[in-house]
Amino acid sequence: MADTPAPVIDKDALKQRYAEEREKRIRADGNDQYQELKGQFAHYAGDPYTAFTERDPVTDHVTFAFVGGGFAGLVTGARLKEAGIDDVRLIEKGGDFGGTWYWNRYPGAQCDTASMIYMPLLEETGHMPSEKYAHGPEIRQHCVRIAKQFGLYEHALFHTEVEQIRWDDDGKVWEIATNRGDRFTASFVGMGTGPLHVPKLPGIPGIENFRGHSFHTSRWDYDYTGGDADGAPMTKLADKRVAIIGTGATSVQCVPHLARACKRLYVFQRTPSSVDVRDNRPIDPDWFGEIATPGWQDRWLENFTANQGGLTMEDDWVMDGWTEISRRVRTKIMQLPPGDMTIEKMMAVYEDSDFEKMEEIRRRAEAVVNDPGTAEKLKAWYRQLCKRPCFHDDYLLAFNEPATVLVDTDGKGVERITETGVVAGGNEYEVDCIIYASGFEVGTEWTRRSGFDLQGRDGLKLSGHWSKGMRTLHGVHVHGFPNAFFVQPTQGANLISNVPHNLTEAGRSIGMIVAEALKRGAQEVEVTAEAEQKWIEMLLTAPDRLIGGPDCTPGYYNNEGQPRGPEDKLNFVGYPAGALAYFKYLKEWRNSGEFKGLEFR
Ligand code: NDP
């Protein structure tokens, strides 16, 4: 693609098309169009992977309790263990460690960010990723590897959901209650519940009436489909008509596998994803041996982050679709005359670059898909960062398979589900199975998604403290909630192209802070109200984010296209100077040993 001549672009026509396509998809019900997996839909949320085992409730005390056994919990737990804290308890609703990689075992599940920077603690564990973009089973195994190496299984509680966390100011401990009857205390707590862990179903009329088989992609039913998460073919689908609803990043990865396995596959599309080149390849052990010298992963992380933002031209080691976005914009900006280096001019350059990129992606659909009508419907008409960019070499090809039928709904979505099939555009498609690739809750409150409200000092509820938007220092520390730490990207680096980097840095800080508290004999460590307020004021000077702007087609990046209150900026803002500057700042902050803004008592 890079060698083909740049297309002639009619920017006004494109802008108008983008606006029309957006208009088709805007709905008044926003996030409420989806339904929760509760009540009659609760069975969609079960765990198909690990048998539930009875156990006695725990009633002990641990130094550190962490909610969530995904990357956030694992990297924080590892740093705490390194800091000499032995009794670290991870509490996890799944049957093992892995978080998103525990649940998402759909065929073809694969990381969209290069393994060298995506998979945490590679250097510490000595693991060499097998591919540039590792597949799900390898990443899940890596989670187990981290947990084993750092002794995190010892105190872990699986198939356990936290129901309450309350600060006891007399005892200076957190009291934790779970749905398994556990009632224990912890000196410190961490929250790593993840951004995309509550699956949702589309609110399609009649969904409850379907008599065939159905499941959500994050609870893949291999008993029904045959095959397994490691890639064994889904032989039981050979005589099945299957509908998959949704064409986001998940669907893009599993459709090629379904297309090969099903008798008939109907792909129900409301909005096409932009699907760029993947170009995956094995990692060469000789090459890895040469580069994997002490400190290598930090250097790679820094290189990727530098290439994601900023105007400096660095060697791009990762060279993927994410760095390409920045590389293109940067190249154009560098060509601007010095007097034109204004924010407006740079934003215009960015828009031009985006038009070009999206034209290339649309032309790719034409080049790959045999049927011109189908290719046309697979074209995405919005800016690349309006929706999660996808990268895949087989997705578009799957529409050349004889079994695959694209059912494009022209932005309207599936109309209805009947006892025997799916209705779209007035036509009923009879199917044996419906697979919901309908994503996860994003725009709802943190307390709803995590399933509990944190109760801090003097009965202060987290939902109350955050009622006018999230408030933290570094996205980690919250005033009124001593000895509590949040491990997530917002109000920190907010680096969305490599989410684990946010987590590993937070984990490093937390390990050092807890060690410092124990060294000082402090019972409490808490951000001061002033430091939290100062951080918030600084964050509010950040420019509006580039992803999911208000002109974008609806999706979870922009609250389904619904306007948000002014305070909502706090729920997605990052360090104004960018991720690279944030990580540098954070390193200096913690290495100084002062932990400015925190009070140790
Ligand atoms: P998404 O929320 O991205 O996709 C949901 C899909 O369901 C959309 O295509 C949506 O259409 C469609 N949909 C919803 N309602 C209807 C309806 N009534 N009729 C028809 N279609 C409907 O979920 P995913 O699980 O695909 O991805 C979620 C996120 O998980 C990704 O954005 C990414 O961040 C992450 N992920 C990462 C991966 C990786 O790194 N490899 C792989 C997979 C996921 P519409 O677009 O119109 O709303």
Side-chain angles (χ1 to χ4, degrees):
M1 279 288 160
D3 294 327
T4 44
V8 179
I9 291 172
D10 180 343
K11 293 184 206 169
D12 290 335
L14 270 185
K15 280 185 195 171
Q16 193 182 333
R17 177 84 196 255
Y18 286 8
E20 283 165 10
E21 294 291 336
R22 174 182 193 274
E23 203 48 41
K24 279 183 199 170
R25 290 168 173 83
I26 288 287
R27 327 172 22 140
D29 51 1
N31 280 314
D32 293 338
Q33 68 180 283
Y34 289 100
Q35 43 205 9
E36 290 183 81
L37 306 190
K38 289 194 168 156
Q40 62 179 327
F41 301 115
H43 62 279
Y44 282 100
D47 181 352
Y49 312 124
T50 310
F52 185 91
T53 43
E54 290 298 337
R55 64 167 174 81
D56 292 332
V58 298
T59 53
D60 54 357
H61 174 83
V62 288
T63 302
F64 204 109
F66 196 97
V67 188
F71 278 177
L74 290 167
V75 297
T76 308
R79 296 304 180 206
L80 289 163
K81 286 284 199 163
E82 276 180 347
I85 294 130
D86 278 335
D87 50 343
V88 177
R89 167 167 295 147
L90 271 64
I91 310 150
E92 166 55 48
K93 70 179 170 186
D96 201 345
F97 289 115
T100 202
W101 297 104
Y102 175 82
W103 294 109
N104 287 286
R105 302 188 190 197
Y106 57 83
Q110 184 186 14
C111 174
D112 266 345
T113 298
S115 322
M116 297 285 282
I117 52 164
Y118 181 84
M119 292 173 73
L121 308 186
L122 284 176
E123 200 168 338
E124 288 80 351
T125 54
H127 178 68
M128 181 195 87
S130 64
E131 302 173 280
K132 181 167 182 183
Y133 305 97
H135 279 79
E138 180 173 342
I139 305 175
R140 193 166 62 255
Q141 271 312 309
H142 187 59
C143 292
V144 170
R145 179 180 298 115
I146 294 171
K148 283 188 178 158
Q149 178 166 329
F150 290 93
L152 297 172
Y153 274 101
E154 195 186 340
H155 295 282
L157 300 177
F158 295 113
H159 281 154
T160 303
E161 291 182 45
V162 168
E163 291 184 333
Q164 188 178 294
I165 303 192
R166 197 172 62 193
W167 176 248
D168 167 12
D169 205 36
D170 297 329
K172 305 290 183 209
V173 288
W174 288 97
E175 296 172 342
I176 297 150
T178 76
N179 67 340
R180 302 290 297 268
D182 307 307
R183 301 285 179 268
F184 62 96
T185 55
S187 307
F188 302 89
V189 289
M191 261 61 62
T193 48
L196 295 156
H197 69 109
V198 180
K200 65 188 188 204
L201 285 178
I204 301 172
I207 194 167
E208 65 284 0
N209 298 332
F210 184 61
R211 293 263 183 86
H213 199 73
S214 59
F215 55 89
H216 188 274
T217 47
S218 66
R219 307 289 189 272
W220 197 271
D221 189 350
Y222 283 105
D223 281 347
Y224 179 83
T225 63
D228 61 31
D230 293 324
M234 296 179 283
T235 46
K236 292 187 185 173
L237 293 180
D239 60 350
K240 298 284 187 297
R241 299 157 304 172
V242 174
I244 183 162
I245 298 183
T247 49
T250 298
S251 184
V252 164
Q253 293 187 333
C254 60
V255 156
H257 297 262
L258 288 169
R260 284 193 286 270
C262 300
K263 178 178 165 202
R264 171 72 70 215
L265 174 67
Y266 297 106
V267 181
F268 287 88
Q269 172 177 273
R270 189 167 69 178
T271 309
S273 280
S274 72
V275 187
D276 204 357
V277 174
R278 173 68 303 164
D279 195 20
N280 195 15
R281 50 183 171 269
I283 288 185
D284 172 9
D286 291 337
W287 170 83
F288 185 79
E290 273 172 34
I291 68 106
T293 53
W296 77 263
Q297 199 175 24
D298 279 344
R299 289 195 294 275
W300 272 69
L301 285 164
E302 201 172 305
N303 179 273
F304 177 76
T305 314
N307 276 289
Q308 274 273 280
L311 291 175
T312 52
M313 288 291 199
E314 297 237 0
D315 262 5
D316 185 352
W317 297 343
V318 169
M319 281 290 246
D320 68 353
W322 298 108
T323 57
E324 195 210 353
I325 297 174
S326 324
R327 200 165 50 244
R328 281 174 172 247
V329 180
R330 204 164 42 223
T331 307
K332 280 185 184 293
I333 287 179
M334 290 308 194
Q335 289 161 0
L336 282 174
D340 278 359
M341 289 275 190
T342 61
I343 294 289
E344 291 73 28
K345 287 264 163 59
M346 288 195 243
M347 293 312 280
V349 161
Y350 170 47
E351 189 176 42
D352 286 351
S353 167
D354 197 86
F355 283 141
E356 284 170 21
K357 180 76 231 181
M358 288 302 285
E359 277 295 295
E360 284 180 21
I361 293 175
R362 287 187 283 265
R363 284 192 298 154
R364 181 171 186 246
E366 270 169 32
V368 174
V369 179
N370 295 338
D371 174 52
T374 305
E376 197 55 35
K377 287 173 186 159
L378 287 164
K379 292 180 181 174
W381 299 101
Y382 46 79
R383 291 183 66 165
Q384 195 181 16
L385 293 184
C386 279
K387 284 205 171 263
R388 166 66 147 68
C390 296
F391 309 93
H392 210 285
D393 293 336
D394 294 333
Y395 177 71
L396 294 169
L397 281 171
F399 293 92
N400 295 340
E401 295 279 347
T404 315
V405 178
L406 175 68
V407 185
D408 178 55
T409 64
D410 195 25
K412 296 182 195 70
V414 166
E415 244 166 76
R416 209 155 29 93
I417 290 179
T418 66
E419 288 187 1
T420 51
V422 180
V423 180
N427 299 316
E428 177 165 3
Y429 299 83
E430 289 210 345
V431 292
D432 303 295
C433 175
I434 302 178
I435 301 172
Y436 294 104
S438 44
F440 304 85
E441 277 196 32
V442 176
T444 51
E445 299 79 40
W446 187 89
T447 43
R448 168 171 153 168
R449 276 176 287 128
S450 59
F452 59 91
D453 202 354
L454 215 61
Q455 191 174 313
R457 210 168 355 84
D458 303 324
L460 178 68
K461 294 247 174 82
L462 186 68
S463 54
H465 191 61
W466 285 0
S467 62
K468 291 204 169 67
M470 190 175 169
R471 297 181 58 82
T472 69
L473 171 73
H474 303 166
V476 174
H477 316 276
V478 185
H479 182 66
F481 298 82
N483 297 4
F485 306 92
F486 292 79
V487 182
Q488 52 80 48
T490 310
Q491 300 198 356
N494 212 22
L495 182 64
I496 60 136
S497 52
N498 188 19
V499 172
H501 193 183
N502 302 281
L503 314 178
T504 48
E505 286 301 312
R508 269 187 172 137
S509 302
I510 294 165
M512 288 173 73
I513 293 163
V514 172
E516 182 72 14
L518 297 178
K519 193 176 95 190
R520 294 189 195 183
Q523 286 185 303
E524 289 177 82
V525 51
E526 183 183 352
V527 58
T528 64
E530 297 72 35
E532 185 184 270
Q533 178 59 22
K534 232 172 115 187
W535 191 254
I536 294 297
E537 285 168 13
M538 186 269 298
L539 291 173
L540 288 173
T541 65
D544 280 341
R545 65 177 178 175
L546 294 177
I547 66 158
D551 297 336
C552 278
T553 193
Y556 79 79
Y557 272 10
N558 69 349
N559 198 34
E560 299 297 334
Q562 298 299 312
R564 306 187 240 215
E567 70 276 3
D568 196 58
K569 180 171 183 179
L570 289 174
N571 296 331
F572 57 77
V573 73
Y575 194 63
L580 189 67
Y582 174 76
F583 291 134
K584 186 169 176 288
Y585 153 81
L586 189 68
K587 191 172 173 187
E588 284 166 10
W589 178 85
R590 62 177 180 243
N591 286 350
S592 76
E594 288 178 44
F595 306 103
K596 236 172 159 180
L598 300 187
E599 208 168 59
F600 293 79
R601 299 187 286 266

